[in-house]
Amino acid sequence: MSLASSPSLNASDVERDELEVDLLLVGAGPANLACAIHAQRLLAERGMDEATVLVIDKAEEIGHHTLSGSVMNPRGIAELFPDWRERGFPVESEVTDDALVILRGKGKHARLGGLLAPPQLRNHGNLIVSLNRVVCWLAAQAEELGVEVYPGFAASEVLLEGERVTGVQIRDSGLAADGGRKPNFEPGMDVRSPLTVFGEGPRGHLAKGLIRRLGLDEGRNPQTFGTGVKELWEVPAERGRELVGTVLHTAGHPLGADGYGGGWIYGLDEERLSLGFVVGLDHHDAALDPHALFVRFKQHPFVAHLLEGGKVLRYGAKTIPEGGLFAMPRLSGDGFCLVGDTAGFLNASTLKGVHLAIKSGMLAAEAMVDALAAKDTSARATARYDELFESSWAFDELHRVRNWRQAFDSGLLGGMLDAGVQMISGGRGLVKRRAGHADHTTTRPLSESRMTPPVCNDGACMDKLTDVYHSGTVHEEDQPSHLLILDPSVCVDRCSEEFGNPCRHFCPAAVYEWPEEGAAEGVRISASNCVHCKTCDIADPYENIEWVVPEGGGGPKYVDM
Ligand code: SF4
């Protein structure tokens, strides 16, 4: 029996090949690769070398769907590989300077560096990395140990027997847009395993179905997300040299006191900058547009000056789980567990999750190998992962900032005060759990919207389609859309009226277009532009959009992101 996290795109009347492995990891991000590496080593220590560990990923090549800022706390990688430096772990630069920059009106700014910088944004000792290069390196380490790593395998459904996860089904390839079978049709295989680890990134579509079906989030806060939009820039060397190792976070313009979010600028090397903007998807404005905010951020003279004479190399977007400890679901169940961003391992106060993702993978590996060795992969056995997490430094770190993101529900100024008290008290005070909210419930009627589109009138500020070009996104065009509108009449009859169809704004890849004339026909979906950020699956006010996985290999092609 299989469980679709949404209506299935797979054919129902075909025979499928089966592949059996001992440990299956869905998604090749830092959490799952750390899990595979640690598990393979533990299996070898126990003389279980014959066990098969398989990592699958929907991207055409490992790393193509991985994107982050990224400043990394080295604690996680140092546990996974104490000799990480000697092994050649890819570091773009060590952090040598950091500051919070308040971007103000009339082109002004204030730089808060040194002791004036908020403690959670001080980054000395951390590393500026390309997460995309990091996962390629981790995948190579895993393969060296004997882990099988298969890119281009898009897991479309969870295989279940009762409440027990028994593996995943791979998406069929060769289906035409109308559902018919093309000459190259090939049914996706069933990959069976006594243990499946879901590390699909934020809002994993399989994990979403499992969490709902098994009530893994019962008694927890709803997860809350931000959408981050990023570009990689080449800048003139004389400016790039000054910024190597510099970590700047920004507040103020263009959000002001409306909503949670801010920008970043990281100096990777003498010629390249990583810059981007994140905004919380609980923003009230029905016309919230993360890409438009990013454009306005780049247009502030402080940022525009840094980009002068440069050119954009890459573009991408992803969501970030910001809800913290109280928004994390139960981490394990019968035959499975959840790791990394999929489970909400992110410290929103420091904007860091890679070290927590690696740690979650290592803890999961310990519990899963114990379960395999005991030939007991029941929920009782896998729950050891939850226990290991609760006695780890990862739990302590997240516990100290357990109410961080919720503090900002009362607005930016109240939130800063509240979060400041949390930092000063080291998390000892404010024990009481703050309630959360699902992002899609916070949108206010279109009549209250204040957002207007930016003018993209210079080389630094591109429209969405130009940026999508820089993401390298490609999908097989003739396939069923992987963006499902559950009830199209809601879009036309209700959403147009109440919210003005926010999908046309919040998607950072211009996938959803509404014709100016003839809106009654409904939305036009350019699914082939989708960069797999999952914003639409989270932010649609009626929960009317369901993201499901397209054919394996489709999506962005992030390099150095
Ligand atoms: Fe992101 Fe959805 Fe747009 Fe794809 S369609 S880029 S998942 S918002």
Side-chain angles (χ1 to χ4, degrees):
M1 177 192 177
S2 70
L3 158 77
S5 59
S6 53
S8 174
L9 297 182
N10 273 358
S12 57
D13 56 346
V14 290
E15 282 205 11
R16 296 181 184 277
D17 289 341
E18 289 211 357
L19 173 67
E20 283 194 28
V21 298
D22 295 289
L23 181 60
L24 171 64
L25 301 104
V26 180
N32 257 357
L33 289 168
C35 183
I37 288 167
H38 199 45
Q40 189 77 31
R41 291 192 302 217
L42 293 171
L43 288 164
E45 276 172 32
R46 291 171 182 235
M48 297 167 67
D49 306 68
E50 298 303 308
T52 335
V53 179
L54 172 65
V55 182
I56 59 172
D57 195 89
K58 61 185 166 66
E60 188 181 21
E61 285 181 27
I62 298 302
H64 274 181
H65 290 184
T66 308
L67 154 103
S68 184
S70 171
V71 175
M72 189 182 106
N73 176 336
R75 189 170 185 178
I77 193 66
E79 266 188 40
L80 185 65
F81 287 111
D83 58 346
W84 55 282
R85 282 191 191 274
E86 293 74 25
R87 282 174 177 265
F89 179 80
V91 175
E92 306 303 313
S93 56
E94 314 264 343
V95 178
T96 53
D97 183 25
D98 54 10
L100 173 66
V101 181
I102 312 290
L103 301 179
R104 293 158 50 202
K106 297 185 183 160
K108 294 188 174 156
H109 73 273
R111 192 182 202 276
L112 307 178
L115 291 176
L116 290 177
Q120 74 278 9
L121 293 182
R122 293 180 199 156
N123 279 289
H124 283 77
N126 291 328
L127 314 166
I128 302 178
V129 299
S130 147
L131 193 59
N132 173 255
R133 291 186 62 210
V134 167
V135 298
C136 291
W137 184 86
L138 286 170
Q141 304 295 316
E143 285 181 312
E144 218 169 273
L145 288 167
V147 173
E148 305 276 343
V149 183
Y150 294 176
F153 274 59
S156 76
E157 294 176 41
V158 178
L159 299 172
L160 277 175
E161 284 169 14
E163 296 204 340
R164 175 168 185 73
V165 172
T166 61
V168 298
Q169 188 171 96
I170 304 300
R171 171 86 150 78
D172 294 344
S173 57
L175 282 175
D178 63 4
R181 293 174 196 178
K182 296 186 282 188
N184 63 343
F185 173 75
E186 221 177 289
M189 66 167 69
D190 286 345
V191 187
R192 301 269 176 193
S193 177
L195 283 172
T196 305
V197 185
F198 294 94
E200 309 167 86
R203 191 69 156 198
H205 77 292
L206 299 180
K208 175 183 155 185
L210 263 185
I211 290 168
R212 276 192 185 159
R213 161 103 174 217
L214 304 180
L216 302 179
D217 57 353
E218 217 171 76
R220 317 287 164 110
N221 282 349
Q223 184 57 272
T224 187
F225 294 87
T227 289
V229 177
K230 170 178 173 175
E231 284 174 353
L232 188 68
W233 273 71
E234 184 181 291
V235 293
E238 64 271 18
R239 195 167 322 114
R241 264 195 293 279
E242 288 170 15
L243 291 165
V244 180
T246 298
V247 168
L248 302 176
H249 290 108
T250 75
H253 174 89
L255 268 179
D258 289 342
Y260 181 85
W264 79 80
I265 300 156
Y266 303 152
L268 299 171
D269 54 34
E270 295 196 353
E271 291 184 337
R272 292 177 311 147
L273 296 181
S274 155
L275 74 157
F277 197 89
V278 183
V279 60
L281 291 178
D282 57 352
H283 197 292
H284 300 305
D285 201 301
L288 176 70
D289 185 335
H291 182 273
L293 289 167
F294 179 50
V295 169
R296 289 190 191 284
F297 161 75
K298 287 189 291 179
Q299 287 174 332
H300 190 282
F302 175 80
V303 184
H305 166 70
L306 299 179
L307 302 181
E308 239 167 51
K311 65 171 186 195
V312 70
L313 301 173
R314 309 268 175 214
Y315 170 78
K318 72 169 280 198
T319 44
I320 300 159
E322 296 176 338
L325 189 67
F326 295 133
M328 293 173 73
R330 206 174 85 216
L331 300 179
S332 62
D334 212 349
F336 75 93
C337 68
L338 313 175
V339 296
D341 276 354
T342 294
F345 278 89
L346 183 108
N347 182 339
S349 77
T350 59
L351 310 168
K352 284 180 191 58
V354 181
H355 66 302
L356 295 168
I358 292 173
K359 183 66 177 173
S360 76
M362 292 179 72
L363 296 171
E366 284 172 38
M368 299 308 123
V369 170
D370 278 353
L372 285 174
K375 297 192 172 26
D376 175 6
T377 55
S378 66
R380 193 192 56 74
T382 59
R384 179 159 156 65
Y385 168 42
D386 296 69
E387 291 160 18
L388 287 171
F389 167 53
E390 280 167 31
S391 54
S392 72
W393 57 257
F395 180 89
D396 293 343
E397 178 178 332
L398 290 171
H399 190 256
R400 272 196 298 277
V401 292
R402 58 199 175 279
N403 284 313
W404 175 271
R405 182 61 177 83
Q406 287 70 26
F408 290 86
D409 286 355
S410 54
L412 186 67
L413 296 177
M416 282 166 66
L417 197 64
D418 192 332
V421 173
Q422 291 185 43
M423 293 308 294
I424 291 164
S425 69
R428 286 184 296 278
L430 303 166
V431 174
K432 202 164 167 254
R433 167 178 152 185
R434 305 274 173 78
H437 51 258
D439 297 318
H440 72 274
T441 61
T442 59
T443 313
R444 290 194 184 141
L446 180 64
S447 54
E448 295 178 32
S449 172
R450 293 193 296 173
M451 289 211 176
T452 51
V455 179
C456 299
N457 59 356
D458 57 55
C461 298
M462 278 135 282
D463 61 21
K464 288 182 186 178
L465 287 179
T466 309
D467 257 334
V468 170
Y469 167 77
H470 289 291
S471 72
T473 299
V474 178
H475 291 86
E476 163 60 50
E477 296 274 345
D478 186 15
Q479 64 171 307
S481 171
H482 69 281
L483 300 156
L484 309 179
I485 306 292
L486 303 182
D487 182 351
S489 71
V490 168
C491 308
V492 177
D493 299 338
R494 293 184 59 195
C495 194
S496 290
E497 188 73 20
E498 291 174 64
F499 299 114
N501 304 113
C503 59
R504 73 170 100 183
H505 305 293
F506 59 54
C507 172
V511 167
Y512 302 95
E513 288 175 289
W514 282 80
E516 292 303 322
E517 302 291 325
E521 290 167 24
V523 63
R524 284 194 212 121
I525 299 179
S526 305
S528 54
N529 287 352
C530 175
V531 296
H532 297 199
C533 74
K534 317 286 181 67
T535 301
C536 52
D537 193 279
I538 296 162
D540 181 76
Y542 302 96
E543 294 185 278
N544 200 26
I545 301 176
E546 190 95 32
W547 189 99
V548 301
V549 77
E551 272 188 23
K557 291 193 184 352
Y558 297 142
V559 178
D560 293 343
M561 290 288 270

mmCIF file of all heavy atoms in Angstrom, residues 317 482-483 503 506-512 525-527 529-537 545 547, ligand 1:
data_model
loop_
_atom_site.group_PDB
_atom_site.id
_atom_site.type_symbol
_atom_site.label_atom_id
_atom_site.label_comp_id
_atom_site.label_asym_id
_atom_site.label_seq_id
_atom_site.Cartn_x
_atom_site.Cartn_y
_atom_site.Cartn_z
ATOM 1 N N ALA A 317 16.215 30.335 -4.822
ATOM 2 C CA ALA A 317 15.315 30.658 -3.704
ATOM 3 C C ALA A 317 14.996 29.379 -2.952
ATOM 4 O O ALA A 317 14.974 28.290 -3.535
ATOM 5 C CB ALA A 317 14.029 31.296 -4.235
ATOM 6 N N HIS A 482 3.547 19.582 -11.806
ATOM 7 C CA HIS A 482 3.794 19.144 -10.420
ATOM 8 C C HIS A 482 3.263 20.158 -9.416
ATOM 9 O O HIS A 482 3.498 20.042 -8.222
ATOM 10 C CB HIS A 482 5.290 18.890 -10.204
ATOM 11 C CG HIS A 482 6.135 20.141 -10.236
ATOM 12 N ND1 HIS A 482 6.509 20.767 -11.392
ATOM 13 C CD2 HIS A 482 6.669 20.868 -9.241
ATOM 14 C CE1 HIS A 482 7.235 21.827 -11.109
ATOM 15 N NE2 HIS A 482 7.339 21.919 -9.805
ATOM 16 N N LEU A 483 2.537 21.174 -9.928
ATOM 17 C CA LEU A 483 1.913 22.170 -9.050
ATOM 18 C C LEU A 483 0.405 21.995 -9.192
ATOM 19 O O LEU A 483 -0.170 22.323 -10.227
ATOM 20 C CB LEU A 483 2.362 23.564 -9.462
ATOM 21 C CG LEU A 483 3.890 23.710 -9.349
ATOM 22 C CD1 LEU A 483 4.419 24.785 -10.259
ATOM 23 C CD2 LEU A 483 4.296 23.961 -7.909
ATOM 24 N N CYS A 503 -0.495 34.200 -5.156
ATOM 25 C CA CYS A 503 0.505 33.345 -5.831
ATOM 26 C C CYS A 503 1.249 34.113 -6.906
ATOM 27 O O CYS A 503 2.412 33.831 -7.184
ATOM 28 C CB CYS A 503 -0.159 32.093 -6.410
ATOM 29 S SG CYS A 503 -1.469 32.430 -7.596
ATOM 30 N N PHE A 506 3.956 35.970 -4.507
ATOM 31 C CA PHE A 506 4.935 35.331 -3.614
ATOM 32 C C PHE A 506 5.863 34.353 -4.311
ATOM 33 O O PHE A 506 6.930 34.044 -3.790
ATOM 34 C CB PHE A 506 4.271 34.700 -2.387
ATOM 35 C CG PHE A 506 3.231 33.633 -2.624
ATOM 36 C CD1 PHE A 506 3.511 32.519 -3.399
ATOM 37 C CD2 PHE A 506 1.977 33.729 -2.022
ATOM 38 C CE1 PHE A 506 2.555 31.522 -3.576
ATOM 39 C CE2 PHE A 506 1.024 32.738 -2.195
ATOM 40 C CZ PHE A 506 1.318 31.624 -2.977
ATOM 41 N N CYS A 507 5.499 33.837 -5.464
ATOM 42 C CA CYS A 507 6.383 32.892 -6.147
ATOM 43 C C CYS A 507 7.615 33.641 -6.681
ATOM 44 O O CYS A 507 7.481 34.570 -7.478
ATOM 45 C CB CYS A 507 5.660 32.214 -7.300
ATOM 46 S SG CYS A 507 6.789 31.220 -8.306
ATOM 47 N N PRO A 508 8.806 33.247 -6.271
ATOM 48 C CA PRO A 508 10.000 33.975 -6.728
ATOM 49 C C PRO A 508 10.466 33.565 -8.116
ATOM 50 O O PRO A 508 11.564 33.944 -8.542
ATOM 51 C CB PRO A 508 11.059 33.600 -5.675
ATOM 52 C CG PRO A 508 10.634 32.285 -5.147
ATOM 53 C CD PRO A 508 9.125 32.200 -5.284
ATOM 54 N N ALA A 509 9.636 32.783 -8.829
ATOM 55 C CA ALA A 509 10.038 32.333 -10.158
ATOM 56 C C ALA A 509 8.961 32.628 -11.205
ATOM 57 O O ALA A 509 8.999 32.063 -12.300
ATOM 58 C CB ALA A 509 10.358 30.844 -10.127
ATOM 59 N N ALA A 510 8.010 33.488 -10.883
ATOM 60 C CA ALA A 510 6.959 33.899 -11.833
ATOM 61 C C ALA A 510 6.239 32.700 -12.447
ATOM 62 O O ALA A 510 5.931 32.696 -13.640
ATOM 63 C CB ALA A 510 7.550 34.790 -12.927
ATOM 64 N N VAL A 511 5.974 31.696 -11.640
ATOM 65 C CA VAL A 511 5.296 30.496 -12.150
ATOM 66 C C VAL A 511 3.799 30.746 -12.350
ATOM 67 O O VAL A 511 3.203 30.239 -13.299
ATOM 68 C CB VAL A 511 5.521 29.314 -11.177
ATOM 69 C CG1 VAL A 511 4.587 28.146 -11.489
ATOM 70 C CG2 VAL A 511 6.979 28.862 -11.227
ATOM 71 N N TYR A 512 3.212 31.541 -11.466
ATOM 72 C CA TYR A 512 1.754 31.760 -11.510
ATOM 73 C C TYR A 512 1.447 33.097 -12.164
ATOM 74 O O TYR A 512 1.850 34.152 -11.670
ATOM 75 C CB TYR A 512 1.164 31.734 -10.092
ATOM 76 C CG TYR A 512 1.450 30.437 -9.377
ATOM 77 C CD1 TYR A 512 2.552 30.311 -8.529
ATOM 78 C CD2 TYR A 512 0.634 29.326 -9.559
ATOM 79 C CE1 TYR A 512 2.826 29.118 -7.887
ATOM 80 C CE2 TYR A 512 0.896 28.126 -8.920
ATOM 81 C CZ TYR A 512 1.991 28.032 -8.097
ATOM 82 O OH TYR A 512 2.277 26.843 -7.462
ATOM 83 N N ILE A 525 -0.086 28.377 -15.259
ATOM 84 C CA ILE A 525 1.043 27.866 -14.462
ATOM 85 C C ILE A 525 2.194 27.470 -15.380
ATOM 86 O O ILE A 525 2.056 26.565 -16.201
ATOM 87 C CB ILE A 525 0.600 26.649 -13.621
ATOM 88 C CG1 ILE A 525 -0.520 27.057 -12.661
ATOM 89 C CG2 ILE A 525 1.775 26.072 -12.839
ATOM 90 C CD1 ILE A 525 -1.051 25.928 -11.811
ATOM 91 N N SER A 526 3.325 28.150 -15.210
ATOM 92 C CA SER A 526 4.532 27.778 -15.967
ATOM 93 C C SER A 526 5.389 26.910 -15.049
ATOM 94 O O SER A 526 6.391 27.370 -14.473
ATOM 95 C CB SER A 526 5.309 29.023 -16.391
ATOM 96 O OG SER A 526 4.471 29.895 -17.105
ATOM 97 N N ALA A 527 4.976 25.649 -14.929
ATOM 98 C CA ALA A 527 5.632 24.761 -13.945
ATOM 99 C C ALA A 527 7.114 24.570 -14.246
ATOM 100 O O ALA A 527 7.900 24.284 -13.342
ATOM 101 C CB ALA A 527 4.917 23.411 -13.926
ATOM 102 N N ASN A 529 9.274 26.688 -14.780
ATOM 103 C CA ASN A 529 10.124 27.715 -14.149
ATOM 104 C C ASN A 529 10.401 27.429 -12.679
ATOM 105 O O ASN A 529 11.200 28.121 -12.045
ATOM 106 C CB ASN A 529 9.435 29.090 -14.197
ATOM 107 C CG ASN A 529 9.431 29.682 -15.588
ATOM 108 O OD1 ASN A 529 10.062 29.140 -16.488
ATOM 109 N ND2 ASN A 529 8.727 30.789 -15.756
ATOM 110 N N CYS A 530 9.720 26.461 -12.116
ATOM 111 C CA CYS A 530 9.713 26.286 -10.652
ATOM 112 C C CYS A 530 11.113 25.949 -10.124
ATOM 113 O O CYS A 530 11.766 25.024 -10.605
ATOM 114 C CB CYS A 530 8.742 25.171 -10.297
ATOM 115 S SG CYS A 530 8.745 24.739 -8.546
ATOM 116 N N VAL A 531 11.551 26.701 -9.098
ATOM 117 C CA VAL A 531 12.867 26.449 -8.495
ATOM 118 C C VAL A 531 12.736 25.608 -7.213
ATOM 119 O O VAL A 531 13.671 25.525 -6.426
ATOM 120 C CB VAL A 531 13.643 27.759 -8.221
ATOM 121 C CG1 VAL A 531 13.967 28.476 -9.512
ATOM 122 C CG2 VAL A 531 12.897 28.676 -7.259
ATOM 123 N N HIS A 532 11.565 25.005 -7.020
ATOM 124 C CA HIS A 532 11.340 24.047 -5.917
ATOM 125 C C HIS A 532 11.508 24.682 -4.535
ATOM 126 O O HIS A 532 11.980 24.028 -3.607
ATOM 127 C CB HIS A 532 12.293 22.847 -6.040
ATOM 128 C CG HIS A 532 12.098 22.032 -7.291
ATOM 129 N ND1 HIS A 532 12.563 20.757 -7.420
ATOM 130 C CD2 HIS A 532 11.477 22.313 -8.469
ATOM 131 C CE1 HIS A 532 12.252 20.275 -8.625
ATOM 132 N NE2 HIS A 532 11.586 21.224 -9.275
ATOM 133 N N CYS A 533 11.100 25.952 -4.388
ATOM 134 C CA CYS A 533 11.301 26.597 -3.080
ATOM 135 C C CYS A 533 10.200 26.248 -2.082
ATOM 136 O O CYS A 533 10.381 26.396 -0.895
ATOM 137 C CB CYS A 533 11.404 28.109 -3.247
ATOM 138 S SG CYS A 533 9.835 28.926 -3.597
ATOM 139 N N LYS A 534 9.028 25.836 -2.558
ATOM 140 C CA LYS A 534 7.872 25.408 -1.755
ATOM 141 C C LYS A 534 7.074 26.575 -1.143
ATOM 142 O O LYS A 534 6.169 26.342 -0.344
ATOM 143 C CB LYS A 534 8.265 24.439 -0.621
ATOM 144 C CG LYS A 534 9.254 23.363 -1.003
ATOM 145 C CD LYS A 534 8.618 22.288 -1.857
ATOM 146 C CE LYS A 534 9.614 21.193 -2.216
ATOM 147 N NZ LYS A 534 10.061 20.389 -1.124
ATOM 148 N N THR A 535 7.386 27.804 -1.521
ATOM 149 C CA THR A 535 6.646 28.935 -0.957
ATOM 150 C C THR A 535 5.149 28.799 -1.212
ATOM 151 O O THR A 535 4.329 29.053 -0.322
ATOM 152 C CB THR A 535 7.159 30.259 -1.579
ATOM 153 O OG1 THR A 535 8.548 30.371 -1.304
ATOM 154 C CG2 THR A 535 6.432 31.467 -1.020
ATOM 155 N N CYS A 536 4.770 28.375 -2.420
ATOM 156 C CA CYS A 536 3.344 28.304 -2.758
ATOM 157 C C CYS A 536 2.620 27.262 -1.907
ATOM 158 O O CYS A 536 1.477 27.470 -1.497
ATOM 159 C CB CYS A 536 3.155 28.006 -4.238
ATOM 160 S SG CYS A 536 4.061 26.563 -4.827
ATOM 161 N N ASP A 537 3.291 26.163 -1.624
ATOM 162 C CA ASP A 537 2.694 25.096 -0.821
ATOM 163 C C ASP A 537 2.425 25.581 0.603
ATOM 164 O O ASP A 537 1.506 25.122 1.271
ATOM 165 C CB ASP A 537 3.658 23.903 -0.792
ATOM 166 C CG ASP A 537 3.026 22.647 -0.256
ATOM 167 O OD1 ASP A 537 2.930 22.509 0.981
ATOM 168 O OD2 ASP A 537 2.632 21.801 -1.071
ATOM 169 N N ILE A 545 -2.785 25.040 -3.001
ATOM 170 C CA ILE A 545 -1.710 24.636 -3.921
ATOM 171 C C ILE A 545 -0.917 23.515 -3.270
ATOM 172 O O ILE A 545 -0.506 23.623 -2.111
ATOM 173 C CB ILE A 545 -0.759 25.809 -4.244
ATOM 174 C CG1 ILE A 545 -1.517 26.971 -4.877
ATOM 175 C CG2 ILE A 545 0.373 25.343 -5.164
ATOM 176 C CD1 ILE A 545 -0.678 28.203 -5.150
ATOM 177 N N TRP A 547 2.432 21.187 -3.821
ATOM 178 C CA TRP A 547 3.657 20.932 -4.588
ATOM 179 C C TRP A 547 3.942 19.427 -4.541
ATOM 180 O O TRP A 547 4.035 18.849 -3.450
ATOM 181 C CB TRP A 547 4.823 21.700 -3.966
ATOM 182 C CG TRP A 547 6.095 21.688 -4.777
ATOM 183 C CD1 TRP A 547 6.526 22.673 -5.607
ATOM 184 C CD2 TRP A 547 7.091 20.656 -4.831
ATOM 185 N NE1 TRP A 547 7.722 22.320 -6.185
ATOM 186 C CE2 TRP A 547 8.098 21.072 -5.724
ATOM 187 C CE3 TRP A 547 7.233 19.415 -4.226
ATOM 188 C CZ2 TRP A 547 9.218 20.317 -6.018
ATOM 189 C CZ3 TRP A 547 8.349 18.641 -4.520
ATOM 190 C CH2 TRP A 547 9.329 19.100 -5.400
HETATM 191 FE FE1 SF4 B 1 8.489 28.091 -5.339
HETATM 192 FE FE2 SF4 B 1 5.997 27.251 -5.779
HETATM 193 FE FE3 SF4 B 1 7.079 29.143 -7.331
HETATM 194 FE FE4 SF4 B 1 7.933 26.607 -7.472
HETATM 195 S S1 SF4 B 1 5.916 27.372 -8.013
HETATM 196 S S2 SF4 B 1 9.219 28.437 -7.415
HETATM 197 S S3 SF4 B 1 7.754 25.968 -5.355
HETATM 198 S S4 SF4 B 1 6.601 29.299 -5.155
#
